Amino acid sequence: MSAQKTKPQVAPGSMMTSASKYGLFSYRDTNNIGDEIQSVAARQFLPTVDSFIEREEMDQFCPEDLIPRKLIANGWYMHAPEHWPPSAYLDPLFISMHISQEPGLYSGLCASKILLAPQTVDYLKTRGPIGARDEHTVRILRAAGVEAYFSGCLTLTLERRPVERDYDLVVVVDLPLDVISFIREKTKKNIIAVKHCDLNIKEQDDRFQLAEVLLGIYSKAHCVVTSRLHCALPSLAMGTPVLLLDFAQDQYRFDGLRDLLHHADAQDFLKGLCRYDVNHPPANKGMHEELRNKLRERVSAFVGAPVQINPTQDLARQLRTSEFIKWELSKALKRRLHEAKIFRGEVPASASVKGREYVTSE
């Protein structure tokens, strides 16, 4: 998706300074279109998209014109925490930020361990207060000494797409077949099943276009039942009745968000213990409106403000953290090699990897 083809909406109250340039997150190695939906939410606030910033390689960004890019840095942090902190040429607003405690897809490093380590946490302290997407992220940020608040998700600011509501359409998103069958038994309405994950769509243009198609479907639906956060919250924002079913193992990332929605345990839903009727779905709670308004205010103010970074100073901070990142990567590699030896039977399963603790040179 090129900057020339981008035609963003500008949020009320947002403005552009003549010297400002803007970046938008892109996602090369993910199959989850929910990521692009989060970028669509950010894009509506930007006067222009001058650069696409690969989320998992933020540290490598260096524009040819050497002009820093303002970046609405919302979303999941991160599958590749070894690429932390961001480039000195990014001026990020950390809002709707989720810090994962799960091992990353590439190195196996946990983002919470890297981003909030004593050797690296100063970066977030200088960018605070941090808007956390969920209450869990608020807690771990504050425990690390970072000023933080619960912002909710930026997808709560999405506007309903200009399509006519189809009161005969129920949309089910990333649900198991037994749940879909259960819903079919309860209604005579048309049901379409949608997935957010698609391994076949690689091109950035196509991924953003699919995100818009999905948002159009959720805007049109009479009702949505989903396991996906970035289907449930956009549906809520666009006024479509929605039910979130709890399937995810890492439920902590829903803390504070599930309360905005009608939600239920998946097994309780199948047992009929959840009284959510897709034929006559209850209205959404409306508890998200205050979060939505504050998100729009904070992001609009950030977009219209001058750049707040000095690339030379930020580069020095980035260099100070590189030694720690390399140390953690070496330990992760040692663990993986050890696990491979156990798998091949070269060492007993009870054997452990011993290593020295990281010691700073200061």
Side-chain angles (χ1 to χ4, degrees):
M1 186 174 187
S2 64
Q4 289 79 6
K5 295 171 66 175
T6 301
K7 297 180 179 179
Q9 300 173 349
V10 179
S14 67
M15 56 185 291
M16 177 177 59
T17 62
S18 59
S20 296
K21 289 197 172 184
Y22 302 88
L24 183 69
F25 272 149
S26 60
Y27 317 90
R28 188 179 60 241
D29 294 326
T30 175
N31 62 0
N32 186 358
I33 302 299
D35 289 324
E36 275 73 20
I37 289 176
Q38 292 178 90
S39 283
V40 169
R43 188 179 62 191
Q44 67 184 333
F45 292 93
L46 301 179
T48 61
V49 177
D50 300 290
S51 301
F52 284 94
I53 315 299
E54 170 57 42
R55 182 186 62 187
E56 302 300 332
E57 296 177 355
M58 284 187 291
D59 61 331
Q60 298 181 20
F61 177 70
C62 183
E64 291 184 2
D65 57 16
L66 299 183
I67 297 175
R69 300 312 196 240
K70 296 179 75 68
L71 173 69
I72 302 171
N74 59 315
W76 174 292
Y77 286 79
M78 47 191 305
H79 291 302
E82 59 269 24
H83 287 290
W84 184 264
S87 163
Y89 289 96
L90 291 176
D91 179 20
L93 171 67
F94 290 108
I95 195 164
S96 303
M97 183 184 197
H98 168 70
I99 300 179
S100 176
Q101 291 191 301
E102 310 305 313
L105 294 178
Y106 311 114
S107 64
L109 295 179
C110 293
S112 57
K113 183 174 181 179
I114 299 300
L115 275 62
L116 303 180
Q119 296 85 0
T120 56
V121 74
D122 280 352
Y123 182 85
L124 286 175
K125 289 181 178 180
T126 64
R127 305 302 304 186
I130 305 300
R133 193 174 76 189
D134 50 90
E135 295 284 8
H136 170 79
T137 299
V138 173
R139 291 192 292 271
I140 63 175
L141 282 166
R142 289 177 177 173
V146 180
E147 186 180 359
Y149 64 95
F150 174 55
S151 69
C153 184
L154 198 61
T155 59
L156 291 173
T157 65
L158 286 166
E159 299 288 351
R160 186 169 180 270
R161 272 41 190 169
V163 295
E164 184 178 353
R165 184 79 70 183
D166 183 350
Y167 292 97
D168 198 40
L169 176 63
V170 175
V171 179
V172 296
V173 185
D174 283 311
L175 297 180
L177 292 177
D178 58 342
V179 176
I180 297 175
S181 296
F182 180 82
I183 295 173
R184 290 188 187 279
E185 293 172 359
K186 300 296 181 181
T187 185
K188 293 183 179 179
K189 294 183 180 294
N190 296 325
I191 295 177
I192 64 170
V194 172
K195 291 184 178 296
H196 269 207
C197 288
D198 195 318
L199 294 170
N200 298 315
I201 301 179
K202 303 293 186 182
E203 294 298 323
Q204 184 170 284
D205 278 1
D206 296 337
R207 292 174 61 83
F208 273 91
Q209 288 173 13
L210 178 56
E212 287 289 357
V213 168
L214 292 174
L215 292 173
I217 292 173
Y218 305 152
S219 294
K220 184 177 183 178
H222 170 62
C223 171
V224 171
V225 183
T226 183
S227 65
R228 288 287 181 181
L229 188 64
H230 293 113
C231 166
L233 295 180
S235 297
L236 176 65
M238 297 185 295
T240 300
V242 58
L243 173 66
L244 175 69
L245 293 182
D246 301 329
F247 283 98
Q249 296 296 317
D250 52 346
Q251 282 293 310
Y252 61 83
R253 64 187 170 92
F254 294 82
D255 289 355
L257 294 171
R258 67 168 65 84
D259 298 334
L260 306 176
L261 300 151
H262 295 294
H263 68 96
D265 177 81
Q267 292 304 313
D268 287 346
F269 181 74
L270 286 173
K271 293 175 183 176
L273 301 177
C274 170
R275 296 184 178 180
Y276 193 94
D277 183 0
V278 298
N279 296 293
H280 307 285
N284 294 324
K285 296 180 179 181
M287 295 170 57
H288 68 289
E289 291 292 345
E290 183 178 357
L291 288 172
R292 173 188 176 95
N293 292 336
K294 288 183 177 179
L295 280 164
R296 294 183 71 86
E297 290 172 4
R298 289 184 175 113
V299 173
S300 296
F302 167 77
V303 168
V307 168
Q308 296 294 320
I309 62 170
N310 181 320
T312 303
Q313 292 176 359
D314 278 16
L315 180 59
R317 181 184 297 111
Q318 191 172 38
L319 291 173
R320 286 197 300 271
T321 66
S322 62
E323 182 182 353
F324 170 71
I325 299 289
K326 290 178 180 177
W327 178 267
E328 290 298 322
L329 280 171
S330 69
K331 291 198 298 183
L333 178 59
K334 185 181 292 185
R335 284 195 300 270
R336 290 194 169 188
L337 290 174
H338 184 71
E339 290 167 359
K341 289 181 179 180
I342 292 175
F343 179 77
R344 294 194 299 265
E346 297 175 10
V347 297
S350 58
S352 61
V353 177
K354 296 182 180 180
R356 297 179 292 111
E357 291 297 318
Y358 177 83
V359 179
T360 65
S361 57
E362 297 179 357

